Amino acid sequence: SYNNKTPWQRIVILFAGPFANFLLAAILYFIIAIGGANSLSPTVGKIQENSPAFHAGIKEGDIIKRINNHEIKTWEEIGSIIRSSEGSLKFFIERNGKMVPKTINPHISDAKNMFKEKIRKRMIGISPAPKLVTIYHDPISAIAYAYDKTIESSKMIFQGVQKLIQGIIPSSEIGGVITIGKVISDASQSSIIALFTITALISVNLGVLNLLPIPALDGGHIMFNLYEIITRRKPSDKVFMYMTITGWVILGSLMLLGIYNDISRLFG
């Protein structure tokens, strides 16, 4: 039985649940990649006045096809290349069926990340047009896509929890079962790909949250087993019981807060 296993064996068993969540997400992302993943098109929308793109003559509706030697298929690739590069960049723009080269030197300016924190990063002063492009992957590239998206989603959710604890994200942003149900309902009416995407995110969310060091969760039990490995003795039954109850109180409070926020959004 579980209790008769060594601490390391118990830790492996405890990791199995979250691993199944991450594996399910990866499988869903793989299916999405094969069926066609939707991303923002590399089509320029608004151009910030007096920005590097403005001075280079970039116009609304331009399609960015290549930056230096990198072929561009999605808007996300543009930001990634700009942030990781140094010096000026050679943009190849499709405009009215013609390829137009533009040399742009990004500058570091103020921006906000997904958590609305102020940051500074290399930018050229453009925003995307509201257009989507569907990218189809072969099985090999779909595996890489699934791996990258699972890791990216895990980092995003982990950072979200961290920002919530730090108070950067307000507690009013926490959602419960009503919000989850609404999001799934909206996604299912949109497309099967949207439904798979939301399901993958929820699965990753469960995996990450289950690894948190809260006594009632797998992460908490992993911490107990690590304690046993380090000290070579089990935590007392009394301490284990009190900490587990504390964990359930924390989880119950979070669930009640999520439901309260859901109801407030419905009737607010």
Side-chain angles (χ1 to χ4, degrees), residues 10-213:
R10 294 200 293 268
I11 287 173
V12 171
I13 292 170
L14 291 166
F15 267 116
F19 175 77
N21 289 126
F22 296 127
L23 180 61
L24 173 61
I27 291 171
L28 289 170
Y29 282 127
F30 178 84
I31 295 171
I32 291 167
I34 295 293
N38 290 328
S39 296
L40 277 173
S41 166
T43 304
V44 178
K46 293 182 180 180
I47 300 101
Q48 186 179 345
E49 193 172 348
N50 293 323
S51 66
F54 177 84
H55 291 299
I58 300 295
K59 297 181 179 179
E60 186 175 343
D62 284 349
I63 302 173
I64 300 173
K65 304 296 288 186
R66 186 155 56 97
I67 302 177
N68 290 345
N69 296 319
H70 301 278
E71 295 292 333
I72 302 297
K73 294 181 179 179
T74 67
W75 186 267
E76 290 79 8
E77 293 172 323
I78 300 171
S80 177
I81 291 171
I82 293 174
R83 286 192 300 271
S84 61
S85 65
E86 294 181 1
S88 60
L89 298 170
K90 192 66 172 284
F91 281 67
F92 293 87
I93 309 296
E94 183 181 307
R95 180 186 296 166
N96 299 324
K98 296 180 180 179
M99 197 65 69
V100 181
K102 297 284 185 182
T103 299
I104 304 177
N105 189 13
H107 63 193
I108 298 176
S109 59
D110 295 326
K112 288 187 178 182
N113 61 16
M114 70 175 72
F115 304 111
K116 298 180 180 179
E117 294 176 291
K118 290 183 178 180
I119 59 172
R120 291 179 63 81
K121 64 178 182 179
R122 274 169 61 88
M123 301 171 66
I124 64 171
I126 58 174
S127 58
K131 294 182 179 180
L132 294 177
V133 60
T134 303
I135 306 297
Y136 296 93
H137 295 261
D138 59 69
I140 300 300
S141 65
I143 293 173
Y145 174 88
Y147 176 81
D148 290 341
K149 291 297 288 184
T150 303
I151 297 297
E152 178 186 324
S153 301
S154 301
K155 287 181 178 178
M156 180 184 69
I157 292 168
F158 178 79
Q159 289 173 347
V161 173
Q162 183 184 16
K163 303 299 181 186
L164 185 66
I165 294 172
Q166 293 173 341
I168 296 171
I169 297 177
S171 59
S172 59
E173 292 294 316
I174 295 175
V177 292
I178 298 174
T179 294
I180 293 173
K182 185 179 185 305
V183 169
I184 292 176
S185 175
D186 292 344
S188 64
Q189 293 174 14
S190 175
S191 69
I192 189 67
I193 296 297
L195 179 60
F196 282 170
T197 302
I198 292 299
T199 306
L201 278 172
I202 291 173
S203 189
V204 170
N205 184 66
L206 287 172
V208 171
L209 295 183
N210 211 13
L211 286 174
L212 293 178

